[in-house]
Protein backbone atom coordinates (compact mmCIF):
# COMPACT_ATOMS: atom_id res chain seq x y z
CA UNK A 1 0.00 0.00 0.00
CA UNK A 2 1.26 3.46 -0.88
CA UNK A 3 0.07 6.53 0.94
CA UNK A 4 0.53 10.21 0.18
CA UNK A 5 0.34 13.01 2.71
CA UNK A 6 -0.28 16.57 1.57
CA UNK A 7 -0.72 19.84 3.40
CA UNK A 8 -4.47 20.31 3.87
CA UNK A 9 -6.20 23.67 4.00
CA UNK A 10 -8.79 24.32 6.68
CA UNK A 11 -10.75 27.55 6.49
CA UNK A 12 -13.93 28.86 8.03
CA UNK A 13 -17.33 28.44 6.51
CA UNK A 14 -18.55 31.27 4.33
CA UNK A 15 -19.91 32.32 0.97
CA UNK A 16 -19.75 35.03 -1.66
CA UNK A 17 -22.24 35.83 -4.38
CA UNK A 18 -21.42 34.05 -7.64
CA UNK A 19 -21.51 36.44 -10.56
CA UNK A 20 -21.85 33.82 -13.29
CA UNK A 21 -18.29 34.37 -14.50
CA UNK A 22 -15.04 32.67 -13.57
CA UNK A 23 -12.93 35.08 -11.53
CA UNK A 24 -9.19 35.06 -11.38
CA UNK A 25 -8.15 32.76 -14.20
CA UNK A 26 -4.37 32.50 -14.43
CA UNK A 27 -1.98 30.76 -16.77
CA UNK A 28 -0.93 27.26 -15.78
CA UNK A 29 2.64 28.19 -16.71
CA UNK A 30 2.78 30.26 -13.53
CA UNK A 31 2.58 27.12 -11.43
CA UNK A 32 4.12 24.57 -13.78
CA UNK A 33 1.13 22.35 -13.02
CA UNK A 34 -0.77 20.71 -15.90
CA UNK A 35 -3.95 22.66 -16.66
CA UNK A 36 -7.23 20.82 -17.07
CA UNK A 37 -9.11 22.42 -19.95
CA UNK A 38 -12.60 22.38 -21.43
CA UNK A 39 -13.19 20.10 -24.39
CA UNK A 40 -14.70 23.11 -26.15
CA UNK A 41 -11.25 24.75 -26.16
CA UNK A 42 -9.59 21.77 -27.84
CA UNK A 43 -9.19 20.80 -31.47
CA UNK A 44 -9.80 17.13 -32.16
CA UNK A 45 -6.05 16.65 -32.56
CA UNK A 46 -5.18 18.49 -29.34
CA UNK A 47 -2.25 16.78 -27.57
CA UNK A 48 -4.39 15.97 -24.53
CA UNK A 49 -7.04 14.28 -26.70
CA UNK A 50 -4.36 12.41 -28.62
CA UNK A 51 -2.94 11.22 -25.30
CA UNK A 52 -6.39 10.26 -24.01
CA UNK A 53 -7.12 8.15 -27.10
CA UNK A 54 -3.77 6.39 -26.77
CA UNK A 55 -4.36 5.79 -23.06
CA UNK A 56 -7.83 4.29 -23.55
CA UNK A 57 -6.50 2.06 -26.34
CA UNK A 58 -3.62 0.86 -24.16
CA UNK A 59 -5.89 0.22 -21.17
CA UNK A 60 -8.25 -1.85 -23.33
CA UNK A 61 -5.44 -4.00 -24.73
CA UNK A 62 -6.41 -7.66 -24.18
CA UNK A 63 -2.98 -8.34 -22.69
CA UNK A 64 -4.06 -6.22 -19.73
CA UNK A 65 -7.18 -8.25 -19.05
CA UNK A 66 -7.45 -9.19 -15.36
CA UNK A 67 -4.73 -6.67 -14.44
CA UNK A 68 -5.37 -3.90 -11.92
CA UNK A 69 -4.18 -1.28 -14.42
CA UNK A 70 -6.66 -1.95 -17.20
CA UNK A 71 -9.80 -0.27 -18.46
CA UNK A 72 -12.04 -2.81 -16.76
CA UNK A 73 -9.81 -3.05 -13.67
CA UNK A 74 -10.06 0.68 -13.01
CA UNK A 75 -13.81 0.70 -13.75
CA UNK A 76 -14.46 -2.20 -11.38
CA UNK A 77 -13.31 -0.04 -8.46
CA UNK A 78 -16.44 2.01 -9.11
CA UNK A 79 -18.69 -0.92 -10.00
CA UNK A 80 -19.78 -3.40 -12.64
CA UNK A 81 -22.86 -5.19 -13.95
CA UNK A 82 -22.66 -7.95 -11.34
CA UNK A 83 -22.18 -6.23 -7.98
CA UNK A 84 -23.56 -2.89 -9.17
CA UNK A 85 -21.77 -0.17 -7.22
CA UNK A 86 -18.56 -1.24 -5.51
CA UNK A 87 -16.40 1.27 -3.58
CA UNK A 88 -17.82 4.57 -4.87
CA UNK A 89 -19.86 6.73 -2.46
CA UNK A 90 -22.95 8.49 -3.75
CA UNK A 91 -25.50 10.54 -1.84
CA UNK A 92 -23.21 11.69 0.97
CA UNK A 93 -20.33 14.08 1.70
CA UNK A 94 -17.67 11.60 0.54
CA UNK A 95 -19.00 11.75 -3.03
CA UNK A 96 -16.81 14.67 -4.14
CA UNK A 97 -13.45 13.78 -2.53
CA UNK A 98 -13.68 10.09 -3.51
CA UNK A 99 -14.35 10.91 -7.15
CA UNK A 100 -11.60 13.56 -7.13
CA UNK A 101 -9.12 10.86 -6.18
CA UNK A 102 -10.65 8.40 -8.65
CA UNK A 103 -10.33 10.73 -11.67
CA UNK A 104 -6.80 11.64 -10.61
CA UNK A 105 -5.95 7.91 -10.67
CA UNK A 106 -6.83 7.84 -14.39
CA UNK A 107 -4.86 11.01 -15.03
CA UNK A 108 -1.73 9.69 -13.33
CA UNK A 109 -1.96 6.38 -15.20
CA UNK A 110 -2.36 8.20 -18.53
CA UNK A 111 0.80 10.18 -17.89
CA UNK A 112 2.75 7.07 -16.91
CA UNK A 113 1.58 4.79 -19.73
CA UNK A 114 1.80 7.30 -22.58
CA UNK A 115 4.88 9.17 -21.37
CA UNK A 116 3.09 12.53 -21.66
CA UNK A 117 3.79 13.97 -18.21
CA UNK A 118 2.03 17.22 -19.19
CA UNK A 119 -1.29 15.47 -19.77
CA UNK A 120 -4.28 16.90 -17.89
CA UNK A 121 -7.75 15.34 -17.96
CA UNK A 122 -10.17 17.42 -20.06
CA UNK A 123 -13.65 18.26 -18.82
CA UNK A 124 -17.06 18.60 -20.44
CA UNK A 125 -18.50 21.94 -19.35
CA UNK A 126 -22.10 21.01 -20.05
CA UNK A 127 -23.36 24.45 -18.99
CA UNK A 128 -21.30 26.54 -21.41
CA UNK A 129 -21.36 23.76 -24.02
CA UNK A 130 -24.43 21.52 -23.53
CA UNK A 131 -23.94 19.74 -26.86
CA UNK A 132 -22.40 16.26 -26.69
CA UNK A 133 -18.70 16.68 -27.62
CA UNK A 134 -17.56 15.49 -31.04
CA UNK A 135 -14.37 13.98 -29.58
CA UNK A 136 -16.63 11.37 -27.94
CA UNK A 137 -19.63 11.36 -30.27
CA UNK A 138 -17.88 10.73 -33.58
CA UNK A 139 -17.41 7.05 -34.40
CA UNK A 140 -14.12 7.70 -36.17
CA UNK A 141 -11.13 9.97 -35.81
CA UNK A 142 -8.65 10.49 -38.63
CA UNK A 143 -10.16 7.59 -40.54
CA UNK A 144 -9.78 5.11 -37.68
CA UNK A 145 -12.22 3.83 -35.02
CA UNK A 146 -12.44 6.36 -32.20
CA UNK A 147 -11.64 4.71 -28.83
CA UNK A 148 -13.63 7.46 -27.05
CA UNK A 149 -16.82 6.55 -28.91
CA UNK A 150 -19.35 4.13 -27.37
CA UNK A 151 -22.11 2.64 -29.49
CA UNK A 152 -25.65 3.00 -28.19
CA UNK A 153 -25.52 6.23 -26.19
CA UNK A 154 -28.68 8.31 -26.08
CA UNK A 155 -26.70 11.38 -27.15
CA UNK A 156 -24.68 11.83 -30.32
CA UNK A 157 -22.41 14.66 -31.41
CA UNK A 158 -24.13 18.00 -30.86
CA UNK A 159 -27.21 16.64 -29.07
CA UNK A 160 -27.86 19.04 -26.20
CA UNK A 161 -28.73 18.57 -22.56
CA UNK A 162 -31.76 20.47 -21.26
CA UNK A 163 -31.47 23.80 -19.45
CA UNK A 164 -33.31 22.35 -16.45
CA UNK A 165 -30.39 19.93 -16.05
CA UNK A 166 -27.25 21.96 -16.74
CA UNK A 167 -28.40 25.53 -17.44
CA UNK A 168 -27.10 28.68 -15.78
CA UNK A 169 -30.01 28.84 -13.33
CA UNK A 170 -29.00 25.39 -12.09
CA UNK A 171 -25.41 26.53 -11.66
CA UNK A 172 -26.47 29.69 -9.83
CA UNK A 173 -28.30 27.51 -7.30
CA UNK A 174 -25.27 25.24 -6.93
CA UNK A 175 -22.77 28.07 -6.50
CA UNK A 176 -25.17 29.79 -4.08
CA UNK A 177 -24.79 26.92 -1.59
CA UNK A 178 -23.39 28.37 1.64
CA UNK A 179 -21.93 25.29 3.33
CA UNK A 180 -20.19 22.20 2.02
CA UNK A 181 -23.01 19.85 3.00
CA UNK A 182 -25.49 21.97 1.05
CA UNK A 183 -23.10 22.03 -1.90
CA UNK A 184 -21.53 18.57 -1.96
CA UNK A 185 -24.20 16.40 -0.26
CA UNK A 186 -24.39 15.84 3.48
CA UNK A 187 -23.06 13.49 6.13
CA UNK A 188 -24.84 10.14 6.43
CA UNK A 189 -27.63 10.41 8.98
CA UNK A 190 -26.45 9.21 12.39
CA UNK A 191 -22.72 9.14 11.59
CA UNK A 192 -20.62 8.96 14.76
CA UNK A 193 -17.14 7.86 13.60
CA UNK A 194 -14.94 7.20 10.57
CA UNK A 195 -15.76 3.52 10.22
CA UNK A 196 -15.67 2.66 6.50
CA UNK A 197 -19.32 1.57 6.60
CA UNK A 198 -20.35 5.25 6.54
CA UNK A 199 -18.74 5.76 3.11
CA UNK A 200 -21.59 3.90 1.43
CA UNK A 201 -24.49 5.15 3.56
CA UNK A 202 -26.93 7.80 2.45
CA UNK A 203 -26.96 11.43 3.48
CA UNK A 204 -28.89 14.22 1.77
CA UNK A 205 -28.03 15.14 -1.81
CA UNK A 206 -27.73 18.78 -2.83
CA UNK A 207 -28.45 20.29 -6.25
CA UNK A 208 -25.04 19.39 -7.72
CA UNK A 209 -25.38 15.66 -7.18
CA UNK A 210 -29.14 15.25 -7.46
CA UNK A 211 -29.52 17.20 -10.70
CA UNK A 212 -26.62 17.56 -13.17
CA UNK A 213 -24.54 14.70 -11.82
CA UNK A 214 -27.32 12.12 -11.69
CA UNK A 215 -29.25 13.28 -14.74
CA UNK A 216 -26.27 13.58 -17.10
CA UNK A 217 -25.24 10.02 -16.22
CA UNK A 218 -28.61 8.57 -17.14
CA UNK A 219 -29.41 10.85 -20.07
CA UNK A 220 -26.17 9.83 -21.82
CA UNK A 221 -27.09 6.23 -20.91
CA UNK A 222 -25.68 3.77 -23.46
CA UNK A 223 -24.50 0.40 -22.18
CA UNK A 224 -22.60 1.87 -19.20
CA UNK A 225 -23.39 5.39 -18.01
CA UNK A 226 -26.48 4.72 -15.89
CA UNK A 227 -24.88 1.85 -13.97
CA UNK A 228 -22.05 0.98 -11.62
CA UNK A 229 -19.98 0.23 -14.74
CA UNK A 230 -20.26 3.86 -15.91
CA UNK A 231 -16.46 4.47 -15.94
CA UNK A 232 -16.22 2.08 -18.89
CA UNK A 233 -17.61 4.94 -20.98
CA UNK A 234 -14.80 7.52 -21.44
CA UNK A 235 -17.32 10.39 -21.16
CA UNK A 236 -17.53 9.45 -17.45
CA UNK A 237 -14.10 10.97 -16.82
CA UNK A 238 -15.06 14.18 -18.66
CA UNK A 239 -18.32 14.42 -16.68
CA UNK A 240 -16.67 13.89 -13.30
CA UNK A 241 -13.76 16.15 -14.15
CA UNK A 242 -16.34 18.90 -14.64
CA UNK A 243 -17.97 18.05 -11.30
CA UNK A 244 -14.52 18.35 -9.72
CA UNK A 245 -13.93 21.70 -11.47
CA UNK A 246 -17.23 23.00 -10.06
CA UNK A 247 -16.04 22.06 -6.55
CA UNK A 248 -12.76 23.90 -7.11
CA UNK A 249 -14.69 26.91 -8.48
CA UNK A 250 -17.03 26.92 -5.48
CA UNK A 251 -13.97 27.05 -3.20
CA UNK A 252 -12.43 29.81 -5.35
CA UNK A 253 -15.65 31.80 -4.95
CA UNK A 254 -14.88 32.02 -1.23
CA UNK A 255 -16.68 28.98 0.15
CA UNK A 256 -15.01 26.68 2.65
CA UNK A 257 -15.04 22.92 2.88
CA UNK A 258 -16.30 21.23 6.02
CA UNK A 259 -14.00 21.34 9.04
CA UNK A 260 -15.73 18.33 10.63
CA UNK A 261 -13.26 15.58 11.50
CA UNK A 262 -15.82 12.93 10.53
CA UNK A 263 -15.33 14.18 6.98
CA UNK A 264 -11.68 15.22 7.00
CA UNK A 265 -10.33 12.06 8.64
CA UNK A 266 -12.15 9.46 6.55
CA UNK A 267 -9.69 7.19 4.68
CA UNK A 268 -10.55 5.51 1.39
CA UNK A 269 -8.42 2.52 2.28
CA UNK A 270 -6.78 0.74 -0.67
CA UNK A 271 -9.48 2.08 -3.00
CA UNK A 272 -7.15 3.10 -5.82
CA UNK A 273 -4.30 1.75 -7.97
CA UNK A 274 -1.08 3.55 -8.88
CA UNK A 275 0.35 3.11 -12.42
CA UNK A 276 2.26 0.03 -11.25
CA UNK A 277 -0.91 -1.67 -10.03
CA UNK A 278 -0.28 -1.18 -6.30
CA UNK A 279 -3.24 -0.19 -4.17
CA UNK A 280 -3.08 3.03 -2.17
CA UNK A 281 -5.15 5.04 0.29
CA UNK A 282 -6.27 8.65 0.13
CA UNK A 283 -7.84 10.43 3.09
CA UNK A 284 -10.29 13.30 2.59
CA UNK A 285 -7.93 15.84 4.19
CA UNK A 286 -5.38 15.02 1.45
CA UNK A 287 -7.86 15.88 -1.30
CA UNK A 288 -8.84 19.48 -0.55
CA UNK A 289 -6.37 21.27 -2.84
CA UNK A 290 -5.93 20.36 -6.50
CA UNK A 291 -2.42 21.68 -7.19
CA UNK A 292 -0.73 19.30 -4.69
CA UNK A 293 -2.57 16.53 -6.52
CA UNK A 294 -0.79 17.42 -9.75
CA UNK A 295 -3.31 19.46 -11.74
CA UNK A 296 -5.06 22.82 -11.79
CA UNK A 297 -8.09 24.53 -13.30
CA UNK A 298 -6.23 27.85 -13.30
CA UNK A 299 -8.26 29.41 -10.49
CA UNK A 300 -6.99 31.91 -7.96
CA UNK A 301 -6.83 30.84 -4.29
CA UNK A 302 -10.07 31.67 -2.47
CA UNK A 303 -10.47 34.94 -0.57
CA UNK A 304 -10.77 35.08 3.22
CA UNK A 305 -14.36 34.34 4.24
CA UNK A 306 -16.47 35.02 7.32
CA UNK A 307 -17.44 32.08 9.55
CA UNK A 308 -20.87 30.53 9.28
CA UNK A 309 -23.49 31.37 11.90
CA UNK A 310 -23.12 28.53 14.45
CA UNK A 311 -26.89 28.46 14.99
CA UNK A 312 -27.41 27.86 11.27
CA UNK A 313 -24.76 25.16 11.31
CA UNK A 314 -26.49 23.36 14.18
CA UNK A 315 -29.86 23.65 12.47
CA UNK A 316 -28.47 22.12 9.26
CA UNK A 317 -26.68 19.38 11.20
CA UNK A 318 -29.99 18.53 12.87
CA UNK A 319 -31.73 18.36 9.51
CA UNK A 320 -28.99 16.04 8.22
CA UNK A 321 -29.41 13.70 11.17
CA UNK A 322 -26.20 14.45 13.09
CA UNK A 323 -26.48 12.90 16.58
CA UNK A 324 -26.86 15.44 19.38
CA UNK A 325 -27.12 18.42 17.04
CA UNK A 326 -29.62 20.57 18.95
CA UNK A 327 -32.18 17.76 18.86
CA UNK A 328 -35.35 19.01 20.51
CA UNK A 329 -34.32 22.66 20.17
CA UNK A 330 -35.07 22.98 16.47
CA UNK A 331 -38.66 23.41 15.35
CA UNK A 332 -39.33 20.90 12.58
CA UNK A 333 -42.10 21.06 9.97
CA UNK A 334 -42.35 17.51 8.60
CA UNK A 335 -45.20 16.32 6.40
CA UNK A 336 -45.57 12.55 6.21
CA UNK A 337 -46.41 11.51 2.65
CA UNK A 338 -45.83 7.74 2.30
CA UNK A 339 -46.98 7.70 -1.32
CA UNK A 340 -46.03 6.15 -4.63
CA UNK A 341 -46.38 8.62 -7.48
CA UNK A 342 -47.25 6.81 -10.69
CA UNK A 343 -46.23 8.08 -14.15
CA UNK A 344 -48.66 10.74 -15.33
CA UNK A 345 -49.59 11.59 -11.73
CA UNK A 346 -48.25 14.12 -9.23
CA UNK A 347 -48.07 14.56 -5.47
CA UNK A 348 -49.21 17.85 -3.95
CA UNK A 349 -47.72 18.41 -0.48
CA UNK A 350 -48.96 21.27 1.69
CA UNK A 351 -46.43 22.81 4.09
CA UNK A 352 -46.68 25.65 6.59
CA UNK A 353 -43.99 28.23 7.25
CA UNK A 354 -43.28 30.86 9.88
CA UNK A 355 -44.21 34.07 8.04
CA UNK A 356 -41.47 36.17 9.63
CA UNK A 357 -38.75 33.63 8.78
CA UNK A 358 -40.15 33.16 5.28
CA UNK A 359 -40.11 36.90 4.61
CA UNK A 360 -36.51 37.09 5.85
CA UNK A 361 -35.58 34.56 3.16
CA UNK A 362 -37.50 35.86 0.16
CA UNK A 363 -37.80 39.63 0.72
CA UNK A 364 -34.93 41.40 -1.12
CA UNK A 365 -34.73 44.13 1.52
CA UNK A 366 -34.39 41.59 4.32
CA UNK A 367 -31.73 39.68 2.38
CA UNK A 368 -29.81 42.88 1.66
CA UNK A 369 -29.98 43.87 5.33
CA UNK A 370 -28.55 40.52 6.40
CA UNK A 371 -25.74 40.78 3.85
CA UNK A 372 -24.96 44.37 4.88
CA UNK A 373 -24.73 43.22 8.50
CA UNK A 374 -22.21 40.55 7.54
CA UNK A 375 -24.68 37.68 7.95
CA UNK A 376 -25.61 35.01 5.43
CA UNK A 377 -28.92 35.31 3.68
CA UNK A 378 -31.66 32.84 4.54
CA UNK A 379 -32.55 29.91 2.28
CA UNK A 380 -35.79 27.94 2.01
CA UNK A 381 -35.41 24.19 1.51
CA UNK A 382 -37.78 21.31 0.95
CA UNK A 383 -36.15 18.12 2.20
CA UNK A 384 -37.54 15.21 0.18
CA UNK A 385 -36.88 11.96 2.03
CA UNK A 386 -37.35 8.33 1.18
CA UNK A 387 -37.25 8.81 -2.60
CA UNK A 388 -37.01 5.62 -4.61
CA UNK A 389 -37.75 5.17 -8.32
CA UNK A 390 -38.69 1.90 -9.94
CA UNK A 391 -35.77 2.47 -12.32
CA UNK A 392 -33.17 5.14 -13.07
CA UNK A 393 -34.79 6.27 -16.34
CA UNK A 394 -36.89 8.83 -14.47
CA UNK A 395 -36.48 12.31 -13.11
CA UNK A 396 -38.68 13.97 -10.50
CA UNK A 397 -39.64 17.53 -11.38
CA UNK A 398 -40.32 19.79 -8.43
CA UNK A 399 -42.65 22.80 -8.57
CA UNK A 400 -43.78 25.16 -5.84
CA UNK A 401 -47.33 26.56 -5.42
CA UNK A 402 -48.55 25.04 -8.68
CA UNK A 403 -51.18 22.41 -7.71
CA UNK A 404 -52.09 21.75 -11.34
CA UNK A 405 -48.52 20.74 -12.24
CA UNK A 406 -48.32 17.57 -14.29
CA UNK A 407 -46.07 15.67 -16.67
CA UNK A 408 -46.81 18.14 -19.49
CA UNK A 409 -46.14 21.27 -17.41
CA UNK A 410 -43.35 23.40 -18.85
CA UNK A 411 -40.22 23.47 -16.71
CA UNK A 412 -37.78 25.93 -18.31
CA UNK A 413 -39.05 29.49 -17.98
CA UNK A 414 -41.80 28.53 -15.55
CA UNK A 415 -41.59 30.74 -12.41
CA UNK A 416 -42.98 27.87 -10.28
CA UNK A 417 -40.38 25.35 -11.45
CA UNK A 418 -37.66 24.49 -8.95
CA UNK A 419 -35.48 21.59 -10.14
CA UNK A 420 -35.27 18.17 -11.78
CA UNK A 421 -34.16 15.49 -9.32
CA UNK A 422 -32.30 12.64 -11.00
CA UNK A 423 -31.63 9.12 -9.79
CA UNK A 424 -28.26 7.44 -10.13
CA UNK A 425 -26.84 4.83 -7.84
CA UNK A 426 -28.04 1.68 -6.15
CA UNK A 427 -31.77 1.04 -5.93
CA UNK A 428 -33.51 -0.82 -3.08
CA UNK A 429 -30.43 -2.06 -1.18
CA UNK A 430 -26.65 -1.96 -1.37
CA UNK A 431 -24.91 -4.62 0.71
CA UNK A 432 -28.13 -4.93 2.73
CA UNK A 433 -28.48 -1.17 3.36
CA UNK A 434 -31.60 0.85 2.56
CA UNK A 435 -30.84 3.05 -0.47
CA UNK A 436 -33.84 5.40 -0.39
CA UNK A 437 -32.61 8.85 -1.37
CA UNK A 438 -32.94 12.14 0.46
CA UNK A 439 -32.62 15.40 -1.45
CA UNK A 440 -32.53 19.02 -0.26
CA UNK A 441 -34.32 21.17 -2.85
CA UNK A 442 -33.66 24.92 -2.68
CA UNK A 443 -37.00 26.71 -3.13
CA UNK A 444 -35.59 30.20 -2.53
CA UNK A 445 -35.25 31.47 -6.11
CA UNK A 446 -38.68 30.20 -7.15
CA UNK A 447 -40.33 31.74 -4.09
CA UNK A 448 -38.58 35.07 -4.76
CA UNK A 449 -39.84 35.03 -8.35
CA UNK A 450 -43.40 34.36 -7.20
CA UNK A 451 -43.18 37.03 -4.51
CA UNK A 452 -41.95 39.59 -7.07
CA UNK A 453 -44.99 38.77 -9.20
CA UNK A 454 -47.33 39.18 -6.23
CA UNK A 455 -48.22 35.49 -6.42
CA UNK A 456 -47.14 34.60 -2.89
CA UNK A 457 -49.06 35.34 0.28
CA UNK A 458 -49.56 33.93 3.76
CA UNK A 459 -47.66 31.10 5.36
CA UNK A 460 -48.76 28.23 3.12
CA UNK A 461 -46.37 26.67 0.64
CA UNK A 462 -47.17 23.68 -1.52
CA UNK A 463 -44.64 21.47 -3.29
CA UNK A 464 -45.54 19.40 -6.34
CA UNK A 465 -43.60 16.26 -7.25
CA UNK A 466 -44.00 15.02 -10.83
CA UNK A 467 -42.23 11.94 -12.29
CA UNK A 468 -41.30 12.49 -15.94
CA UNK A 469 -39.22 10.50 -18.44
CA UNK A 470 -35.55 11.37 -18.71
CA UNK A 471 -34.52 13.10 -21.92
CA UNK A 472 -34.39 10.34 -24.54
CA UNK A 473 -36.45 7.89 -22.47
CA UNK A 474 -39.86 6.64 -23.57
CA UNK A 475 -41.63 6.73 -20.22
CA UNK A 476 -41.18 7.47 -16.55
CA UNK A 477 -41.43 5.00 -13.69
CA UNK A 478 -43.23 5.35 -10.38
CA UNK A 479 -41.38 7.18 -7.59
CA UNK A 480 -42.00 6.57 -3.90
CA UNK A 481 -41.64 9.36 -1.32
CA UNK A 482 -41.88 9.04 2.47
CA UNK A 483 -41.86 12.62 3.77
CA UNK A 484 -41.27 16.28 2.92
CA UNK A 485 -39.89 18.82 5.36
CA UNK A 486 -39.80 22.60 4.96
CA UNK A 487 -36.73 24.27 6.45
CA UNK A 488 -35.77 27.97 6.49
CA UNK A 489 -32.08 28.26 7.38
Amino acid sequence: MKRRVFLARTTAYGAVVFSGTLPGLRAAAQTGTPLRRSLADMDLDDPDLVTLRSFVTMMKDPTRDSQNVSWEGFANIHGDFTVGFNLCPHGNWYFLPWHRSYIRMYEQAARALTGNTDFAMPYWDWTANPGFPAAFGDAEFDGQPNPLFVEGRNLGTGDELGEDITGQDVMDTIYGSQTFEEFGSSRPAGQVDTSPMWIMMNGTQGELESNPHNNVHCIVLGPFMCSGASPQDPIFQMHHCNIDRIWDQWNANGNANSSDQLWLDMPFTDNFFDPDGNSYTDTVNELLEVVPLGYTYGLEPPPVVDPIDPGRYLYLANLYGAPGSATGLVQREVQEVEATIDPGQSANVQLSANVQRLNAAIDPNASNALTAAGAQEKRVYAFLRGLLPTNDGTQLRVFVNLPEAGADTQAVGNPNFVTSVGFFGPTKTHDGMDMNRSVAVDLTSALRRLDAEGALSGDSISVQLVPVPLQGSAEASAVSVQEVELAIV
Side-chain angles (χ1 to χ4, degrees), residues 312 315-316 319 331 333 352-362 378-383 447 461 485-489:
R312 185 176 191 272
Y315 188 4
L316 284 168
L319 292 167
Q331 183 179 359
E333 299 289 342
S352 61
N354 178 288
V355 175
Q356 185 177 6
R357 288 179 59 81
L358 182 62
N359 287 338
I362 65 175
K378 301 292 184 183
R379 312 296 293 181
V380 184
Y381 284 104
F383 282 74
L447 290 172
I461 292 175
E485 177 172 6
L486 187 71
I488 303 173
V489 294

Side-chain angles (χ1 to χ4, degrees), residues 256-279:
N257 296 317
S258 175
S259 59
D260 196 308
Q261 298 305 126
L262 293 177
W263 185 67
L264 291 169
D265 292 345
M266 178 63 79
F268 305 127
T269 304
D270 291 338
N271 276 203
F272 312 106
F273 295 127
D274 69 18
D276 294 323
N278 301 307
S279 64

Side-chain angles (χ1 to χ4, degrees), residues 225-431:
M225 275 293 282
C226 199
S227 74
S230 51
Q232 292 198 46
D233 188 330
I235 200 65
F236 172 98
Q237 287 77 27
M238 309 302 105
H239 176 42
H240 270 278
C241 192
N242 193 47
I243 297 288
D244 186 68
R245 177 190 65 86
I246 291 167
W247 181 14
D248 197 43
Q249 180 67 64
W250 183 76
N251 284 150
N253 290 346
N255 301 291
N257 296 317
S258 175
S259 59
D260 196 308
Q261 298 305 126
L262 293 177
W263 185 67
L264 291 169
D265 292 345
M266 178 63 79
F268 305 127
T269 304
D270 291 338
N271 276 203
F272 312 106
F273 295 127
D274 69 18
D276 294 323
N278 301 307
S279 64
Y280 66 88
T281 297
D282 269 335
T283 301
V284 170
N285 61 28
E286 300 170 347
L287 299 166
L288 306 182
E289 303 259 4
V290 299
V291 172
L293 298 175
Y295 66 91
T296 182
Y297 297 103
L299 302 173
E300 291 286 358
V304 176
V305 295
D306 294 325
I308 186 175
D309 176 357
R312 185 176 191 272
Y313 176 80
L314 285 173
Y315 188 4
L316 284 168
N318 183 265
L319 292 167
Y320 295 136
S325 54
T327 302
L329 301 179
V330 175
Q331 183 179 359
R332 305 285 293 267
E333 299 289 342
V334 181
Q335 179 66 49
E336 299 290 339
V337 179
E338 296 293 347
T340 297
I341 315 168
D342 291 322
Q345 304 297 314
S346 64
N348 182 48
V349 183
Q350 290 291 140
L351 303 163
S352 61
N354 178 288
V355 175
Q356 185 177 6
R357 288 179 59 81
L358 182 62
N359 287 338
I362 65 175
D363 185 286
N365 294 326
S367 294
N368 292 338
L370 286 171
T371 303
Q376 293 176 318
E377 63 178 8
K378 301 292 184 183
R379 312 296 293 181
V380 184
Y381 284 104
F383 282 74
L384 314 180
R385 299 195 179 95
L387 297 177
L388 190 67
T390 305
N391 62 59
D392 290 336
T394 300
Q395 63 183 14
L396 188 68
R397 284 186 178 160
V398 181
F399 298 86
V400 63
N401 286 15
L402 192 65
E404 67 272 20
D408 296 328
T409 303
Q410 178 77 17
V412 177
N414 187 329
N416 300 79
F417 174 67
V418 180
T419 189
S420 295
V421 175
F423 301 100
F424 176 79
T427 57
K428 297 183 180 177
T429 62
H430 180 87
D431 287 343

Side-chain angles (χ1 to χ4, degrees), residues 14-297:
V16 295
V17 176
F18 178 62
S19 65
T21 61
L22 302 181
L25 284 174
R26 66 182 180 205
Q30 291 180 322
T31 65
T33 304
L35 175 69
R36 290 184 176 180
R37 293 176 294 139
S38 171
L39 287 166
D41 297 331
M42 297 181 176
D43 294 328
L44 293 177
D45 61 354
D46 186 276
D48 279 347
L49 284 176
V50 172
T51 296
L52 186 60
R53 292 188 195 97
S54 297
F55 169 64
V56 173
T57 300
M58 295 169 73
M59 291 284 279
K60 290 184 175 181
D61 190 312
T63 63
R64 289 187 173 273
D65 287 352
S66 301
Q67 294 183 19
N68 290 340
V69 183
S70 65
W71 194 245
E72 191 168 315
F74 273 21
N76 286 347
I77 294 171
H78 189 275
D80 60 28
F81 294 118
T82 302
V83 302
F85 291 78
N86 187 16
L87 300 178
C88 54
H90 293 92
N92 67 40
W93 60 354
Y94 302 116
F95 164 71
L96 287 177
W98 190 93
H99 284 84
R100 171 169 283 179
S101 186
Y102 187 60
I103 297 302
R104 179 184 180 273
M105 177 188 70
Y106 280 88
E107 186 174 67
Q108 291 292 313
R111 292 173 186 172
L113 268 62
T114 66
N116 180 4
T117 57
D118 294 326
F119 171 75
M121 191 68 73
Y123 59 86
W124 177 21
D125 182 349
W126 19 248
T127 300
N129 308 102
F132 196 79
F136 294 78
D138 293 350
E140 294 186 351
F141 171 73
D142 200 22
Q144 300 295 321
N146 178 8
L148 307 182
F149 173 78
V150 172
E151 186 72 44
R153 294 181 182 126
N154 267 359
L155 299 183
T157 298
D159 290 342
E160 294 194 354
L161 297 162
E163 286 184 41
D164 60 317
I165 306 300
T166 61
Q168 189 58 51
D169 286 348
V170 174
M171 297 311 302
D172 289 345
T173 297
I174 291 168
Y175 285 123
S177 302
Q178 297 175 344
T179 67
F180 180 81
E181 291 181 81
E182 293 169 87
F183 170 77
S185 298
S186 82
R187 69 192 66 207
Q191 183 179 3
V192 294
D193 56 32
T194 55
S195 167
M197 74 173 192
W198 296 107
I199 295 173
M200 300 302 296
M201 298 187 74
N202 269 338
T204 300
Q205 297 182 31
E207 180 75 8
L208 176 60
E209 185 174 1
S210 69
N211 189 356
H213 169 263
N214 292 353
N215 282 314
V216 170
H217 262 283
C218 293
I219 288 172
V220 173
L221 194 59
F224 304 114
M225 275 293 282
C226 199
S227 74
S230 51
Q232 292 198 46
D233 188 330
I235 200 65
F236 172 98
Q237 287 77 27
M238 309 302 105
H239 176 42
H240 270 278
C241 192
N242 193 47
I243 297 288
D244 186 68
R245 177 190 65 86
I246 291 167
W247 181 14
D248 197 43
Q249 180 67 64
W250 183 76
N251 284 150
N253 290 346
N255 301 291
N257 296 317
S258 175
S259 59
D260 196 308
Q261 298 305 126
L262 293 177
W263 185 67
L264 291 169
D265 292 345
M266 178 63 79
F268 305 127
T269 304
D270 291 338
N271 276 203
F272 312 106
F273 295 127
D274 69 18
D276 294 323
N278 301 307
S279 64
Y280 66 88
T281 297
D282 269 335
T283 301
V284 170
N285 61 28
E286 300 170 347
L287 299 166
L288 306 182
E289 303 259 4
V290 299
V291 172
L293 298 175
Y295 66 91
T296 182
Y297 297 103

